Amino acid sequence: MSGNTLENVLILQGGGSLGAFGCGVYKALLKNNVNLDVIAGTSIGGVNAAIIAGSKKEDNTDQILEDFWLELSEGFVDIDKLSPYSVWNWYMKTFQIPLKFDYYLFPSSLSAAVAGIEETYSSDRIEMDIKVKQMKSFYSSFFFGNSKMFIPRWSSEYALNDLEYFTPQKWTFLYDHMPLAKTLERYISYDKLRPGGNSNIRLILTAVNVLNARPLTFDSYKEQITAKHILATSAYPLYNFRWIEVKDGVFAWDGGLLSNTPLREVITATPVRDKRIFIVENYPKNIDSLPNNLAEVYHRARDIMFSDKTEHNVQMSKVISRYLDYIEQLYQIVDKNVDKLHLDEKQLKSIRQKYKVYKLEHGAEIKEIYHIKREEPYPHMTENADFSPQTIKNSIREGEEKTNEIIKNKKISR
């Protein structure tokens, strides 16, 4: 725990490649000596959180996290560097292509998508160029995956060990994100992510049970966190990732399906200490104007679904604190006037037992909350699939700058 009276909590949202923004946020918090007590995340936010809490090195944990993101960017395939004849044909020969998919349509479909963007945004050359780049990045992730994080199920290495390789109509996922577990081995010491481990930060990951839609919470103070828990929290089905069996009969998907901002789980896990909360918002809640076309409509709907919706949790925390203060006052009156109230021993014992439970197990209040918001000057539906090196570096820098600005303006104490 930190020496602060307040418990410092970092909440990291999901969002694919947008998670690089959270890396920058953490870098700034660490450099400003804001020591974290609890870190919670879902999806890519959960991946970030696990690297921070379980870092193989005690020092420079921010650099460890940044190195992870730079490695992910190394797995990105730059479409502009692929020759449509030589390199392209060589690359395609590494695939055994199921009949259901015709990937040779790739060049024509990408050309059509680019042409549509150029026509729609022809009045703003900067925005047009950015959206074309975003579209190319999406196509790269869609067709080639990312060797450091997820690979397409149709790649040749699956031909010999995937019984459904040639029957894609039976597939329940398109991408295998097991490569993420292998990548994380270079960054995480799992021995730290267990009860009694030597991590100074409590890790909380969220997921959802596929069979009954119930939330799943993985807490390093209560159970050993392993690679399968990290894969579970990042198993987003609409990214076409597979579910993960975290234990016998429990199949998990990404916690973002229920909530992309796992604040409630933190309050439940640590209900006594007052908190200072930092929430990393990858998806903006507010926009300046209405969408102009269907692509922008879908994008805005996506942002709303994944945006922060924790206002109710914050308000309930304040309400509960007021109720507990009231109970405290009533108890003190009872305790000081036991003789006058003529309570029998059984009643008095019951009152005292309930008071101790309420006093010891509840009462945390959110004293400070800071929303660190990613800007979106050129929104695009596929921005969370852009793992290109320059985009990752820009996102990390933006997260760091936004956090430094908040710490400076709000004069946050260390």
Side-chain angles (χ1 to χ4, degrees):
M1 291 292 185
S2 70
N4 298 333
T5 301
L6 295 180
E7 185 175 59
N8 286 323
V9 180
L10 177 61
I11 308 290
L12 294 162
Q13 289 187 342
S17 60
L18 304 182
F21 179 79
C23 171
V25 171
Y26 176 68
K27 285 184 65 178
L29 291 175
L30 193 64
K31 289 178 179 178
N32 283 279
N33 300 313
V34 178
N35 298 314
L36 298 175
D37 299 304
V38 181
I39 184 166
T42 195
S43 198
I44 197 65
V47 176
N48 280 343
I51 294 173
I52 294 168
S55 173
K56 281 195 169 182
K57 295 183 179 180
E58 293 298 324
D59 300 323
N60 302 318
T61 52
D62 57 335
Q63 188 59 54
I64 291 290
L65 182 60
E66 185 170 12
D67 287 346
F68 165 76
W69 277 99
L70 295 179
E71 182 172 353
L72 286 191
S73 71
E74 292 172 3
F76 174 78
V77 177
D78 189 343
I79 288 175
D80 288 332
K81 294 181 180 179
L82 292 178
S83 163
Y85 301 106
S86 58
V87 179
W88 173 261
N89 289 333
W90 172 83
Y91 196 93
M92 291 307 296
K93 286 178 183 178
T94 66
F95 291 91
Q96 299 292 326
I97 304 173
L99 295 177
K100 184 177 180 181
F101 302 100
D102 182 3
Y103 292 103
Y104 289 105
L105 291 176
F106 173 87
S108 61
S109 61
L110 176 57
S111 297
V114 169
I117 291 173
E118 291 175 344
E119 180 179 354
T120 302
Y121 299 100
S122 58
S123 61
D124 188 333
R125 181 59 187 237
I126 295 177
E127 182 173 13
M128 180 182 70
D129 288 345
I130 290 174
K131 289 186 180 295
V132 167
K133 178 182 176 297
Q134 290 172 329
M135 180 58 70
K136 288 181 178 179
S137 296
F138 164 72
Y139 267 70
S140 171
S141 295
F142 181 87
F143 282 95
F144 303 117
N146 182 308
S147 60
K148 305 292 184 178
M149 187 177 183
F150 61 96
I151 53 179
R153 193 173 177 180
W154 52 80
S155 59
S156 59
E157 61 193 86
Y158 287 96
L160 297 178
N161 54 30
D162 186 347
L163 298 178
E164 297 178 346
Y165 185 77
F166 293 103
T167 55
Q169 64 272 19
K170 296 181 180 180
W171 290 4
T172 56
F173 65 94
L174 295 181
Y175 302 98
D176 182 3
H177 65 311
M178 291 298 175
L180 174 61
K182 185 175 181 180
T183 300
L184 290 175
E185 290 176 1
R186 293 188 282 276
Y187 301 94
I188 295 177
S189 170
Y190 289 98
D191 188 56
K192 296 173 70 172
L193 303 181
R194 61 177 177 82
N198 61 347
S199 176
N200 294 321
I201 304 176
R202 184 173 186 171
L203 172 65
I204 297 174
L205 306 177
T206 62
V208 59
N209 190 310
V210 178
L211 296 177
N212 59 28
R214 292 178 180 173
L216 298 170
T217 302
F218 312 128
D219 186 339
S220 64
Y221 275 25
K222 296 181 179 180
E223 65 180 306
Q224 170 72 66
I225 302 298
T226 66
K228 67 182 178 182
H229 296 99
I230 302 173
L231 291 175
T233 193
S234 57
Y236 189 59
L238 298 186
Y239 288 166
N240 295 295
F241 288 174
R242 68 162 77 197
W243 56 65
I244 301 296
E245 188 174 12
V246 291
K247 59 183 179 180
D248 290 344
V250 178
F251 302 90
W253 268 336
D254 191 313
L257 290 172
L258 293 181
S259 173
N260 202 37
T261 314
L263 174 59
R264 179 183 59 190
E265 289 78 5
V266 169
I267 295 173
T268 300
T270 62
V272 177
R273 289 187 64 186
D274 291 340
K275 305 181 190 320
R276 174 195 284 130
I277 306 285
F278 298 90
I279 295 180
V280 175
E281 294 191 40
N282 291 327
Y283 297 95
K285 284 185 288 190
N286 303 314
I287 57 175
D288 296 327
S289 59
L290 291 171
N292 294 309
N293 52 57
L294 278 179
E296 293 183 7
V297 166
Y298 298 147
H299 174 274
R300 181 56 186 157
R302 191 276 312 274
D303 278 2
I304 291 174
M305 285 189 287
F306 288 139
S307 65
D308 174 39
K309 303 179 183 68
T310 59
E311 291 93 340
H312 176 71
N313 299 111
V314 175
Q315 291 301 319
M316 284 304 299
S317 172
K318 294 178 180 178
V319 169
I320 291 171
S321 295
R322 288 197 294 269
Y323 285 167
L324 291 173
D325 287 342
Y326 182 59
I327 290 172
E328 169 77 14
Q329 294 173 20
L330 292 178
Y331 177 78
Q332 294 303 327
I333 292 172
V334 171
D335 195 49
K336 292 176 182 178
N337 297 275
V338 170
D339 296 336
K340 297 178 182 179
L341 295 172
H342 303 293
L343 296 172
D344 61 42
E345 190 62 30
K346 187 176 180 180
Q347 284 180 305
L348 185 59
K349 184 178 180 180
S350 176
I351 290 172
R352 283 176 172 163
Q353 285 179 335
K354 289 180 180 179
Y355 168 74
K356 288 180 180 179
V357 169
Y358 295 143
K359 185 72 174 177
L360 294 176
E361 296 183 4
H362 301 84
E365 184 175 346
I366 298 174
K367 295 293 187 179
E368 301 174 23
I369 187 164
Y370 302 98
H371 297 265
I372 307 169
K373 305 175 182 180
R374 186 184 67 86
E375 294 294 330
E376 208 170 70
Y378 300 104
H380 195 272
M381 187 66 181
T382 62
E383 63 211 348
N384 52 3
D386 186 354
F387 290 90
S388 60
Q390 193 56 53
T391 296
I392 295 300
K393 291 176 183 177
N394 289 342
S395 294
I396 293 172
R397 182 169 55 252
E398 182 190 1
E400 192 169 3
E401 291 173 351
K402 292 286 184 184
T403 308
N404 283 329
E405 183 180 344
I406 287 176
I407 291 175
K408 179 181 178 180
N409 293 340
K410 300 295 184 179
K411 298 180 180 179
I412 296 172
S413 59
R414 275 47 168 187

